Amino acid sequence: MTSWEKKQFFWGWLFILPTMLGLIILNIVPMFQTLYQSFFRTGDFGKGNVFIGLENYEKLIHDPEVWQSLFNTFKYAIVEVPLSIIIALVLAVFLNRKMRGRSIYRTIYFLPMVVAPAAVAMVWRWLYNSQFGLLNHMMHVKIEWISNPHIAWISIAIIGVWSAIGYNMVLFLAGLQEIPRDYYEAADIDGASGPRMFFNITIPLLSPTIFFVMVTSIIGAFQVFDLIYMVMDETNTALPKTQTIVYLFYRYSFAYNNKGYGSAIVMLLLCVIILITVFQMIGQKKWVHYN
Amino acid sequence: MKKKLVALMMTVIMAGSMMACGSSNSGSAGSSANGASQTSSDVTGASSDTAAATGSDPLNVVIWDSNQKAGLQQICDEFTAKTGIAVNIEVKDWDSYWTLLEAGASGGDMPDVFWMHSNNAQMYMKNGILLKLDDYIKNSTEIKMENYMPEITELYTYDGSYYAIPKDYDTIALWYNKTMFDAAGLSYPDATWTWDDLYNAAVKLTKKDGSQYGFCMNPSNDQDTYYNMVYSMGGYIVSDDHTKSGYDDPNTLKAMDYVGKLVKDACPDPTTMSETGTDVMMESGNVAMIMQGSWMVSGFLQNDYMKKNCDVAILPYDKTTGKRASICNGLGWAAYSGTKRPDDCWKLLEWFGSKDMQLEQAKLGVTMSAYQNTSDQWVNCTDVFHLQPYLDETTASTGDAQNELVLRPYTYNSTVWSGAAQTKLAAAWADPSIMEQTCKDFATEMNQDIANENK
């Protein structure tokens, strides 16, 4: 190694060290601790854990609540991910043109991202309230938005979409700026229509960004917790049909004080997310164009 | 163009992170101050450091009832004026309170002084999380354990040692809306009422158009509502030795059947009740009767509608058993065993437990006090509501019925099954015809939970 390479090596590592440390301490070590803990029946206050092998996983396989929650999570993701991507993409394309008040619109759409998720959920909880909620009041109906098992999961997903649009939009805007104007000018001269340009130029050239947003959105959707926790009460009849796998993990780990089983549940989620991400990585070869 | 966009993003992200910083600063002001005191004081010389720490850092106190904060703050201010030890009271909601305590106990960073509850006091005492108070009590002139209600003292005694100073006790009573009773031409509830009278009145007070309901209870209203019915009708939730579920007891099932009837015929939709608490429904004039604990009084006193329209009556009794039962519970003031300032903590506990401050707590209307014979003061804290019924429950009999105070049912770690009960019973609330089967199924599950405790 030449001295230049050594220097590069040294400074390179030095610059990523803070992030690496954060990742190791906050993510990677706890990940293995969780895996380890999932083989134990945990004692009070983290003391006196008893090794029980695969017992937690055995219970997990036969627990209908777990599979129902996993199904609920899928339902949530299927509504939340496509909607938040499509709406954000359309908004980004419109807000990428020259128009008056563009910055204001961009800021408005991004604002939900700045608000604490718990506050967002609290506001929506009251909007949705069947007795005193603004939504029912304005529409003169009595819909039980968050306690009817058939629609509660959609109501929750709507909050998710609303809070995710702004962030996705900014990512798409950044991606759109990378596309050279020449393509559009050439297409314009050839007489291509707006939608045609969108599908034949914008989408293919934006596909790396779309792919990134999709992977992170899906992972985010599978990890949704705060919305359910803040919006749904424990006695809500719609809870069994709405609670996600992370919510279940929280209940077992912190409310029921059964951290071992909670860890097993979250390991299941990890496997599901890894599987989905692997499929996406394979699938991307078919539709993502890196220049 | 691109620069502008990047600038926008940066601004928003910075604004976001600044907001995050701001909120975390204000939220943890107390705990970070406490953290500073911990690093400055030596582990071995904790007590000798106390003097140095006194006056500079506030003791960190965490509670879960925001209605009590103002009154307790006043009591703490007097404490600070007398001793020079500052006290910082922080309020968490019930769920996050226990998450915080549990995480704090596992990680070794707890508030100095906090409330203990019968739900899981056993678990905290057994694991040595709470400061043992025996020696302090022996040397104290202010605190004599026999001055407090023995039921409450017993909750916080483990292996013959005391771990908390009884703070208060609470009973349950029936709140009713006078205006609605007048409009329906019904006489107000009184000591002659049986559960059947309550049911009949509730049905009469329920309007078909959904603008008014006779009664209101959610599966989460256990201690304040359906437990009382269960014990009054001769059933039980947990056996006396705290080892067995009573949800499959025939009398419990009878009471739960009554609950189902009431929910079906005289209560708002279960879905509505799961979204909106019974207290809010009462305060907004949607229901004619609810059962609530004495701890709610200070909150109701701040509501103009309640003050204008509502009052308190004693709970109904059961005709068959001739028994009127009120669930009773009491909190304890506890300190963290690992605190760096145990002597200061004790001074605060002693202050809270002293006769004067227990009287003050009652007088301010915070709650009834655990110190015996101080609760008359609490009844007189307001002339808007007649609070005497809360006290009448503690006497031997009222009218034709025998009164019985029942300690809130608990086991080693009650949170597990009491939480599960709420979720399970929600299904029976939605469809009362499955009430019996739900209770029987839940009894099996609860017995399993209890068997898994303390392993």
Side-chain angles (χ1 to χ4, degrees), chain B residues 122-318:
Chain B
Q122 300 277 322
M123 188 171 101
Y124 280 84
M125 294 191 288
K126 187 194 166 208
N127 287 285
I129 307 294
L130 308 185
L131 186 66
K132 204 182 216 179
L133 303 177
D134 294 352
D135 293 338
Y136 291 107
I137 292 170
K138 215 165 38 191
N139 299 324
S140 171
T141 49
E142 289 282 344
I143 305 290
K144 299 254 176 308
M145 292 313 270
E146 55 274 19
N147 287 334
Y148 304 95
M149 290 183 67
E151 293 93 341
I152 312 298
T153 311
E154 185 201 315
L155 288 177
Y156 306 110
T157 308
Y158 192 86
D159 271 350
S161 293
Y162 300 117
Y163 287 91
I165 300 296
K167 171 185 174 294
D168 57 25
Y169 78 98
D170 45 64
T171 57
I172 315 295
L174 181 69
W175 289 76
Y176 62 96
N177 189 314
K178 289 182 286 189
T179 317
M180 290 178 188
F181 270 79
D182 291 341
L186 295 168
S187 56
Y188 298 156
D190 57 27
T192 64
W193 268 36
T194 63
W195 291 111
D196 295 332
D197 293 324
L198 180 119
Y199 173 81
N200 292 333
V203 171
K204 276 182 203 146
L205 286 159
T206 302
K207 290 187 180 164
K208 290 234 159 53
D209 62 358
S211 63
Q212 179 185 315
Y213 295 93
F215 198 75
C216 191
M217 63 170 144
N218 198 38
S220 56
N221 296 105
D222 44 17
Q223 177 186 358
D224 51 40
T225 311
Y226 79 80
Y227 282 1
N228 300 278
M229 299 172 178
V230 166
Y231 279 91
S232 168
M233 298 188 194
Y236 63 96
I237 299 294
V238 176
S239 62
D240 289 340
D241 56 357
H242 310 289
T243 57
K244 200 178 148 295
S245 166
Y247 273 94
D248 52 357
D249 177 81
N251 285 326
T252 309
L253 290 173
K254 203 178 103 192
M256 294 313 284
D257 181 58
Y258 175 82
V259 167
K261 241 173 43 172
L262 209 50
V263 168
K264 193 163 133 256
D265 300 338
C267 288
D269 275 348
T271 47
T272 306
M273 293 192 286
S274 77
E275 287 176 36
T276 315
T278 60
D279 49 337
V280 178
M281 296 296 274
M282 189 79 186
E283 287 170 346
S284 50
N286 280 307
V287 296
M289 289 181 282
I290 59 168
M291 285 159 66
Q292 266 301 352
S294 49
W295 63 87
M296 291 301 290
V297 171
S298 55
F300 287 154
L301 273 171
Q302 286 160 28
N303 184 285
D304 290 331
Y305 182 86
M306 290 292 286
K307 285 204 282 202
K308 201 165 150 249
N309 296 295
C310 303
D311 210 344
V312 189
I314 197 162
L315 292 181
Y317 68 96
D318 184 58

Side-chain angles (χ1 to χ4, degrees), chain A residues 198-273:
Chain A
F198 176 75
F199 285 109
N200 286 353
I201 302 174
T202 311
I203 299 259
L205 289 176
L206 199 60
S207 55
T209 313
I210 299 179
F211 177 67
F212 171 77
V213 171
M214 204 165 94
V215 172
T216 49
S217 293
I218 290 180
I219 293 176
F222 271 86
Q223 294 177 344
V224 67
F225 162 75
D226 38 12
L227 287 182
I228 317 273
Y229 177 70
M230 296 298 294
V231 174
M232 311 281 285
D233 191 84
E234 242 180 283
T235 55
N236 194 321
T237 30
L239 188 62
K241 297 268 183 222
T242 318
Q243 62 180 353
T244 57
I245 199 95
V246 179
Y247 183 85
L248 198 68
F249 153 75
Y250 169 83
R251 254 203 10 225
Y252 273 105
S253 295
F254 296 103
Y256 298 172
N257 206 14
N258 189 350
K259 297 206 170 51
Y261 192 51
S263 305
I265 292 176
V266 95
M267 282 334 262
L268 171 73
L269 175 67
L270 180 72
C271 294
V272 171
I273 290 182

Side-chain angles (χ1 to χ4, degrees), chain A residues 113-130:
Chain A
M113 196 62 212
V114 185
V115 184
V120 169
M122 243 15 236
V123 171
W124 278 92
R125 180 183 177 147
W126 281 104
L127 285 178
Y128 278 142
N129 188 297
S130 61

